[in-house]
Structures are given as structure tokens and as C-alpha cells.
Amino acid sequence: MNNPEPMLEVEDLKKYFPIRTGVFSRVVGHVKAVDGISMRINPGETYGLVGESGCGKSTAGLTILNMLNPSGGSVLYKGKDIYSMGKEEMRNLRKEMQIIFQDPYSSLNPRMSVGEAIGEALEVHGIATGKKRREKVEYILKVCGLDTYHYRRYPHEFSGGQRQRVVIARALVLEPQFIVADEPISALDVSIQSQIINLLEELQDQFGLTFLFISHDLSVVKHMANRVGVMYLGRIVEDAPKKEFYASPLHPYSQALLSAVPSMLPAQQKERIILTGDVPSPSNPPPGCTFHTRCPWAVAICSNEVPHLKKVGPDHFVSCHLVEEVI
Ligand code: SF4
């Protein structure tokens, strides 16, 4: 069977933030938050982007949606380069590409009722007004496990889980096809995290959604994703189908992250790999392989030469000079 046409193709994407100093705001360096990542997401699939906090995952999500200007690279959505689109074309595309943020409380305006917050986008995009708008909002509230009487309520009247349902409803009301879910459960109580995960899965089945699912939690990503990309200091160091990744991660950073995930079956619990040292600053990343300052395998070449993503299986990529030796 041929590979399906990807919904999203990211190629060598970069996002650098200038570091300015002095009265003339002279640029003295750059924070390389995203430093040349590539990925491909097929329709109806979930790509799990994982890594420690500060590795550039969220910046990657915002840049992919063109909510931040890229410093380089390209993003093709259904084969079209989104960075070369005009304002009007990009505005239309916004309906198809939505985002769910981590903190449902700060992503809702406390002075807007839930009905207004969800319906606002319908008016902005000229999709529905008046009665039709209300019907659409009430429908999407129900789809997201809320009730029509919630229409008039305000964010502070909801629990954390309900607020995240409101945020999801607001993203869905425009009938998007691609959603960046940026740590969508990490601000919620553990007891309700699984409800939101189940809701996202049900919505994916019902509407055929495609997700870029950003998370630091490898257990959640194992549940949600078809494919996993591991980010370290702005770069993807391993990119593999989920099953392969969880059965035999090949990059030492992936192995360390996975060794910290508790297993339900003690016999399957991997020996914990403790990484020494802190994550270096993305404003001054180490030369060569940026992981070399913490890598238990590091050899001389690692501090001089940047390893590029190598194909190590039919659909498995790893950036490590020594990867051939561990396969
Ligand atoms: Fe470790 Fe070297 Fe591989 Fe980087 S390239 S992950 S430092 S062995």
C-alpha cells in the first residue's frame, strides 16, 4: 500500500529569538528554541512530540501554526507552504488548524461567558451569527461532554476538567482538521486527566482529526500517538513509529526518558538511567551533539560534529554518531 499524502510536512524548521542588550537593543546572540526540526503527520494520526520542559516543543507547535514567524524552514499543510500564504489565505487556514493550550484558565477570558467565548470565532470567520451561532455552540458543548445550560456560565464557575472541555469546544467549533494539543492535560488533576484523553480520542474518531500532541509525559503519548518525536535542545533526536519507539528506543536520551516511566509490571520496569548535569541553555548550546554534555556514551567526535538524523529502520530515524553500534 502506498503511503498516504501527509497532512503536515515540516522541513528543517527553525525558530530563533534574538537576545538584545543595551540602549540600542543590539542583538548579541540568539536563543535557538527550534533548531532545524522535520516531521511528517498523516491524516487522522497523532504525532507525539516529547521532551523535557524548555526543549522547544511548544515553540515548535506555535511556529508550525504560523503563530510565531519562523527563522527558517518550511511547513506544508496538505502540500501548500503556509509561510508563503497571503493574509486572507492564512485567515481561512486558521479554521482548519487550531490549538489547545495547557492552561484552560488563562486561555479563557474571565469576562466572557462560555457561549460568547466559543461563538466568537464563528462570527470572526463569518460562519454563523444569531440563532445559528447559538445552535452550533450548544451542539459543540454537548459533543465535548458539557450541557447547553453551560452556555451562559463563566469560566470561574467550572472545574478544571470542564474548563478544558470548553477550550476543546472552542477549538472544535470551527471544524478544524489539524490540532496542536500543547500539554492539554498537564495542568489538570490526575483524576480527570484520563477523561480529557478519552474525550480527545473520541473526537479524533468522530471527526477524523489529526493531532500534534505535545507532552512531557511518555505514558500519555504512548496511549495517544501513532508516532513519536523526541526533542532535545531544539532538535529532534529520534523519530519513530510508536510501537518501535517504546519497544526499543535507540537514542540514549530517549532511553533515559523511557527508563523513568514507571511500568505497571515490575518485571518490565527498565533500569533507571540517571542523566547527570542540567539541560544546557539554548542561547549557548554545546557544539557538536548538543546532548554530549550529559550523554553516557559520548566519545570525542560527539563534541565536534553535529550528528544528523539517520535512517536506522524503514521508518525510524535517530541522530547519534554511535547508533549503528547499538542496533
Ligand atoms: Fe551521545 Fe555522541 Fe550519540 Fe550524541 S552523538 S547521543 S553524545 S553518543
Side-chain angles (χ1 to χ4, degrees):
M1 206 171 82
N2 289 336
N3 278 341
E5 280 299 307
M7 177 162 278
L8 193 89
E9 282 175 285
V10 177
E11 193 62 46
D12 201 23
L13 186 67
K14 297 186 176 106
K15 179 62 192 172
Y16 299 168
F17 295 98
I19 304 167
R20 296 178 187 277
T21 188
V23 281
F24 298 111
S25 294
R26 204 161 49 85
V27 175
V28 291
H30 287 91
V31 174
K32 296 181 174 178
V34 177
D35 197 14
I37 64 167
S38 300
M39 67 177 75
R40 172 191 164 109
I41 312 180
N42 291 327
E45 287 192 350
T46 298
Y47 186 103
L49 189 60
V50 301
E52 291 163 290
S53 147
C55 69
K57 313 183 288 293
S58 295
T59 304
L62 292 170
T63 314
I64 285 170
L65 291 178
N66 205 5
M67 292 168 81
L68 289 173
N69 293 329
S71 308
S74 65
V75 172
L76 303 187
Y77 177 75
K78 295 182 183 170
K80 286 195 89 175
D81 181 354
I82 69 166
Y83 299 137
S84 63
M85 288 181 183
K87 265 194 181 160
E88 194 52 33
E89 204 176 355
M90 196 60 227
R91 209 173 88 91
N92 284 332
L93 191 64
R94 289 255 171 265
K95 287 183 267 183
E96 289 194 32
M97 302 174 89
Q98 288 286 308
I99 186 163
I100 299 166
F101 289 108
Q102 172 178 2
D103 181 359
Y105 203 68
S106 63
S107 53
L108 291 170
N109 182 340
R111 282 184 288 277
M112 259 188 174
S113 74
V114 155
E116 287 171 324
I118 299 173
E120 189 185 27
L122 291 172
E123 275 203 41
V124 168
H125 287 280
I127 295 171
T129 55
K131 188 163 171 266
K132 203 168 162 216
R133 163 182 150 154
R134 183 164 184 130
E135 284 169 2
K136 272 187 168 287
V137 174
E138 288 181 349
Y139 165 74
I140 211 71
L141 281 172
K142 280 195 200 155
V143 165
C144 292
L146 295 163
D147 225 314
T148 48
Y149 66 81
H150 287 125
Y151 188 97
R152 291 193 178 284
R153 301 260 167 104
Y154 286 82
H156 72 271
E157 298 177 77
F158 291 88
S159 67
Q162 285 176 318
R163 272 199 293 272
Q164 194 59 307
R165 287 176 190 270
V166 172
V167 170
I168 293 169
R170 190 180 56 179
L172 272 189
V173 77
L174 292 172
E175 300 177 21
Q177 295 179 29
F178 173 71
I179 294 183
V180 172
D182 186 2
E183 301 269 12
I185 60 162
S186 57
L188 305 176
D189 284 351
V190 175
S191 58
I192 48 172
Q193 288 184 347
S194 58
Q195 293 174 19
I196 297 298
I197 288 297
N198 291 341
L199 173 66
L200 291 172
E201 283 185 321
E202 285 163 20
L203 296 171
Q204 182 167 36
D205 285 348
Q206 190 174 347
F207 299 108
L209 301 170
T210 305
F211 280 113
L212 172 60
F213 190 88
I214 297 173
S215 179
H216 66 279
D217 187 335
L218 280 141
S219 314
V220 176
V221 169
K222 186 177 187 181
H223 188 78
M224 282 291 292
N226 304 92
R227 192 171 181 86
V228 181
V230 179
M231 256 185 109
Y232 185 78
L233 270 187
R235 295 180 188 160
I236 288 182
V237 296
E238 184 156 6
D239 183 347
K242 173 178 73 179
K243 269 195 182 160
E244 230 173 290
F245 176 77
Y246 283 90
S248 52
L250 294 176
H251 195 282
Y253 181 58
S254 310
Q255 292 177 356
L257 289 181
L258 273 171
S259 76
V261 177
S263 170
M264 298 286 277
L265 304 168
Q268 289 182 8
Q269 182 66 53
K270 297 196 168 71
E271 194 184 330
R272 180 90 194 258
I273 302 168
I274 309 277
L275 295 176
T276 52
D278 294 324
V279 182
S281 166
S283 62
N284 186 23
C289 172
T290 52
F291 186 57
H292 83 259
T293 52
R294 301 171 81 200
C295 181
W297 305 350
V299 290
I301 187 179
C302 303
S303 46
N304 299 318
E305 270 185 40
V306 177
H308 296 290
L309 272 179
K310 283 182 211 157
K311 192 168 177 157
V312 293
D315 204 15
H316 192 156
F317 303 85
V318 177
S319 77
C320 172
H321 292 303
L322 304 187
V323 70
E324 278 94 358
E325 295 175 30
V326 294
I327 297 174

